[in-house]
Amino acid sequence: MELSVMLQLLISGLGMTLQIFVITLVGALPLGVLVALARMSSFKPLALVARFFISVLRGTPLMLQLMAWMFFPYYVFGMSLTSDWKFYACAIGFILNYSAYFAEIYRSGIQSIPRGQYEAAQVLGYTSTQTFMFIVLPQVIKRILPAMGNEVIALIKDTSLAFVLGVMEMFTQAKAIAASQVSMLPYLIAAAIYWCFTLVVEFILSRIEKKLSYYHD
């Protein structure tokens, strides 16, 4: 196989990798906020459900979760699995898994804000929503950014786990090419692409961190 053809196949796989990456962030970031708020809720049943959700999703392998979502409709409802379902199962699995991790990061950030800031905002006439949006949230974002960055970078590498469902992302493409060509070259090229992807994300996160540097603890 020519190198140009190999690169073309790997780039097509990178497109799917990017889809999984973006869909996971778009779904997991806001869902993580909801789970974190439920986890901190004074309504005990809701808090217990959120804690159980986080415990299960963080305490079991993502690969196992992906397989569970893949075969859930068949074994529970007897539904036939379409060719499109593997991508949807992949998206659901990644979003739910990462929302659990993001929820704990959000929770730690929110709980790190001194109670006195809430009380001062109340004295100044701020509503609860205004206090959270304009006083608490900017500080929380700055404090949790390093931890969130670590999870985002981990997500780049975890997208390779989609291979268990047969989703043709970059690692799956590299694996197929390596098997057909009996060569390690596709893996080396894929590793280089993952590394470059990580460097780009690290650069973006560092720029965001600098823009937020006007908030001092």
Side-chain angles (χ1 to χ4, degrees):
M1 181 183 292
E2 294 183 3
L3 181 60
S4 60
V5 176
M6 187 183 298
L7 287 172
Q8 187 177 356
L9 291 171
L10 289 174
I11 294 300
S12 70
L14 177 61
M16 179 58 69
T17 295
L18 289 171
Q19 284 188 54
I20 297 170
F21 177 77
V22 171
I23 288 172
T24 301
L25 290 182
V26 169
L29 287 172
L31 181 58
V33 174
L34 297 178
V35 175
L37 294 175
R39 171 74 173 78
M40 295 184 294
S41 174
S42 58
F43 183 56
K44 293 299 182 183
L46 179 60
L48 287 173
V49 170
R51 289 183 65 177
F52 178 75
F53 173 86
I54 293 170
S55 178
V56 171
L57 272 295
R58 295 177 71 200
T60 57
L62 175 55
M63 186 182 296
L64 180 61
Q65 295 169 30
L66 292 173
M67 295 177 69
W69 282 110
M70 178 67 185
F71 298 108
F72 178 82
Y74 176 77
Y75 286 111
V76 176
F77 300 110
M79 298 170 58
S80 58
L81 303 178
T82 64
S83 58
D84 292 334
W85 173 247
K86 61 185 178 182
F87 178 77
Y88 297 134
C90 180
I92 292 169
F94 271 94
I95 288 172
L96 293 180
N97 180 270
Y98 270 83
S99 70
Y101 285 93
F102 289 154
E104 285 298 273
I105 295 173
Y106 287 135
R107 183 176 68 87
S108 65
I110 293 171
Q111 292 181 337
S112 71
I113 304 301
R115 188 63 196 171
Q117 296 199 25
Y118 293 91
E119 295 170 353
Q122 187 176 14
V123 170
L124 292 172
Y126 283 81
T127 64
S128 297
T129 302
Q130 289 173 329
T131 301
F132 183 78
M133 293 298 297
F134 302 120
I135 298 176
V136 176
L137 187 59
Q139 298 179 75
V140 168
I141 291 174
K142 181 180 182 297
R143 293 186 183 197
I144 68 174
L145 193 58
M148 293 293 284
N150 289 336
E151 289 300 324
V152 171
I153 290 171
L155 172 59
I156 296 172
K157 295 172 286 186
D158 279 351
T159 56
S160 62
L161 294 176
F163 86 93
V164 299
L165 303 185
V167 175
M168 294 302 292
E169 44 69 57
M170 188 168 59
F171 176 77
T172 309
Q173 289 282 17
K175 184 171 178 287
I177 297 169
S180 65
Q181 301 298 306
V182 194
S183 170
M184 287 293 293
L185 183 59
Y187 288 127
L188 293 174
I189 296 173
I193 295 173
Y194 279 121
W195 181 42
C196 291
F197 189 4
T198 300
L199 290 176
V200 171
V201 172
E202 286 179 344
F203 175 76
I204 293 171
L205 290 172
S206 67
R207 297 293 295 178
I208 295 174
E209 201 164 351
K210 286 181 179 178
K211 286 185 178 293
L212 294 174
S213 62
Y214 58 84
Y215 281 104
H216 300 286
D217 295 330

